[in-house]
């Protein structure tokens, strides 16, 4: 049974990936939904299993990927069920606004644990179950293009995600497994509220927002086409090029949030 695994599936962009999955990957018959909030995950799972559309059978996995016991549970489930994984979407992530030294240490380290450590661990565990023609989709950010003061740790973790994607893409080329990073700008999701960004960042107030349904649909299509980096919106495509050709010491002065 062709299987997709989606982390961070209960809200925001992850939820849209789940809803749109069948329209882009109709061959997928089952999806493992991973998130830490059981109530939201249960509702989403029930919606999918009751749907008559092109939605795969849903399996709810309540896991906090910052908890080593959750990673152990995932490894054991993979070993027990031996799934044929066609698509892995690493969507779980978090970001917090604040100056390093002033912000809570637990928040800063959680970004590293979830955005970097968990993403790496999940990918490493799932890869042995992916065959030729599989796809990996990693959620990065425009923050990967240049460090953002007041979101220094978050920017660094997303730079890792993009670099990880590029390197892994080459590693898996001979196995015909593609790896894609989607780098969206801000979206109207709870990410902004949870990260204490709403009302405290003039930069975020000025930036054009991305529409999460379009981002999810475009990212899924990019993954299926085997694109390495997908950046929604012309404004952010230009920003990505600008960040490449402008000295980073100059760019970073204008990217403070």
């Amino acid at each position: 049974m062709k299987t997709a695994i989606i982390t961070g599936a209960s809200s925001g962009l992850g939820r849209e990936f789940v809803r749109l999955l069948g329209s882009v990957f109709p061959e997928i018959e089952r999806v493992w939904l991973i998130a830490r909030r059981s109530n939201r995950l249960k509702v989403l799972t029930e919606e999918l299993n009751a749907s008559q559309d092109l939605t795969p059978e849903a399996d709810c996995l309540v896991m906090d990927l910052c908890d080593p016991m959750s990673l152990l549970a995932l490894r054991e489930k993979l070993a027990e069920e031996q799934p044929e994984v066609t698509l892995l979407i690493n969507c779980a992530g978090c970001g917090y606004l604040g100056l390093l030294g002033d912000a809570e240490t637990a928040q800063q380290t959680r970004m590293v644990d979830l955005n970097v450590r968990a993403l790496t661990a999940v990918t490493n565990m799932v890869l042995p179950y992916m065959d030729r023609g599989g796809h990996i989709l990693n959620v990065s950010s425009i923050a990967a293009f240049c460090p953002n003061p007041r979101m220094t740790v978050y920017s660094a973790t997303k730079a890792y995600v993009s670099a990880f994607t590029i390197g892994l893409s080459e590693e898996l080329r001979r196995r015909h497994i593609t790896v894609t990073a989607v780098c969206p700008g801000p979206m109207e999701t709870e990410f902004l509220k949870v990260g204490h960004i709403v009302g405290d960042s003039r930069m975020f107030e000025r930036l054009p927002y991305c529409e999460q349904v379009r981002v999810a649909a475009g990212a899924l299509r990019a993954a299926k086409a085997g694109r390495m980096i997908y950046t929604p919106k012309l404004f952010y495509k230009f920003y990505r090029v600008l960040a490449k050709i402008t000295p980073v010491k100059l760019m970073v002065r204008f990217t403070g949030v």
Side-chain angles (χ1 to χ4, degrees), residues 104-176:
E104 293 182 14
T105 300
Q107 286 185 342
Q108 302 300 305
T109 56
R110 181 172 177 80
M111 285 186 280
V112 178
D113 287 342
L114 187 56
N115 300 357
V116 175
R117 183 173 175 272
L119 177 142
T120 306
V122 170
T123 304
N124 192 61
M125 288 189 290
V126 170
L127 265 174
Y129 302 93
M130 294 191 82
D131 292 329
R132 181 188 180 96
H135 306 277
I136 298 173
L137 175 56
N138 297 322
V139 176
S140 186
S141 167
I142 60 165
F145 303 155
C146 178
N148 300 144
R150 296 182 73 208
M151 292 192 80
T152 298
V153 175
Y154 177 76
S155 300
T157 64
K158 291 305 181 178
Y160 172 89
V161 173
S162 291
F164 176 81
T165 297
I166 295 168
L168 186 60
S169 179
E170 179 59 24
E171 284 188 23
L172 299 177
R173 180 170 54 85
R174 293 183 181 179
R175 289 178 56 184
H176 296 275

Side-chain angles (χ1 to χ4, degrees), residues 30 32 59 61 63 72-84 125 129:
R30 177 178 63 174
W32 292 5
D59 192 356
L61 306 178
M63 297 179 175
L72 178 60
L74 178 59
R75 186 177 70 181
E76 291 176 348
K77 183 174 178 63
L78 287 164
E80 179 182 352
E81 299 206 12
Q82 298 285 311
E84 181 187 351
M125 288 189 290
Y129 302 93

Side-chain angles (χ1 to χ4, degrees), residues 31-59:
V31 57
W32 292 5
L33 307 178
I34 299 176
R36 61 187 175 86
R37 290 177 290 192
S38 59
N39 55 336
R40 291 192 180 190
L41 204 53
K42 182 179 179 181
V43 170
L44 179 59
T45 303
E46 290 173 351
E47 288 177 1
L48 289 178
N49 287 336
S51 174
Q52 300 300 314
D53 298 330
L54 291 173
T55 52
E57 172 189 332
D59 192 356

Side-chain angles (χ1 to χ4, degrees), residues 6-253:
I6 304 177
T7 71
S10 65
S11 64
L13 190 59
R15 188 180 180 90
E16 299 306 328
F17 280 136
V18 175
R19 288 173 168 171
L20 296 170
L21 181 65
S23 63
V24 182
F25 288 91
E27 69 273 20
I28 290 178
E29 304 162 278
R30 177 178 63 174
V31 57
W32 292 5
L33 307 178
I34 299 176
R36 61 187 175 86
R37 290 177 290 192
S38 59
N39 55 336
R40 291 192 180 190
L41 204 53
K42 182 179 179 181
V43 170
L44 179 59
T45 303
E46 290 173 351
E47 288 177 1
L48 289 178
N49 287 336
S51 174
Q52 300 300 314
D53 298 330
L54 291 173
T55 52
E57 172 189 332
D59 192 356
C60 172
L61 306 178
V62 180
M63 297 179 175
D64 181 352
L65 296 178
C66 289
D67 183 353
M69 296 306 295
S70 288
L71 294 175
L72 178 60
L74 178 59
R75 186 177 70 181
E76 291 176 348
K77 183 174 178 63
L78 287 164
E80 179 182 352
E81 299 206 12
Q82 298 285 311
E84 181 187 351
V85 181
T86 300
L87 174 67
L88 167 63
I89 301 180
N90 286 307
C91 189
C94 61
Y96 300 100
L97 183 70
L99 296 171
L100 203 64
D102 293 342
E104 293 182 14
T105 300
Q107 286 185 342
Q108 302 300 305
T109 56
R110 181 172 177 80
M111 285 186 280
V112 178
D113 287 342
L114 187 56
N115 300 357
V116 175
R117 183 173 175 272
L119 177 142
T120 306
V122 170
T123 304
N124 192 61
M125 288 189 290
V126 170
L127 265 174
Y129 302 93
M130 294 191 82
D131 292 329
R132 181 188 180 96
H135 306 277
I136 298 173
L137 175 56
N138 297 322
V139 176
S140 186
S141 167
I142 60 165
F145 303 155
C146 178
N148 300 144
R150 296 182 73 208
M151 292 192 80
T152 298
V153 175
Y154 177 76
S155 300
T157 64
K158 291 305 181 178
Y160 172 89
V161 173
S162 291
F164 176 81
T165 297
I166 295 168
L168 186 60
S169 179
E170 179 59 24
E171 284 188 23
L172 299 177
R173 180 170 54 85
R174 293 183 181 179
R175 289 178 56 184
H176 296 275
I177 295 174
T178 68
V179 192
T180 302
V182 55
C183 301
M187 295 173 284
E188 289 287 357
T189 69
E190 64 180 17
F191 174 91
L192 299 179
K193 183 178 180 180
V194 172
H196 312 298
I197 297 168
V198 174
D200 195 27
S201 171
R202 292 181 181 178
M203 178 64 75
F204 269 83
E205 291 174 2
R206 293 194 297 262
L207 289 174
Y209 274 47
C210 294
E211 210 283 313
Q212 57 185 318
V213 174
R214 291 187 177 183
V215 171
L220 287 169
R221 290 193 296 266
K224 189 153 194 178
R227 293 176 59 181
M228 191 181 301
I229 302 291
Y230 169 62
T231 307
K233 234 172 179 49
L234 183 61
F235 179 89
Y236 295 116
K237 295 180 192 296
F238 172 74
Y239 173 60
R240 180 185 172 199
V241 173
L242 184 65
K244 284 184 176 182
I245 63 176
T246 305
V248 68
K249 285 186 177 181
L250 180 60
M251 277 294 296
V252 77
R253 293 180 183 177

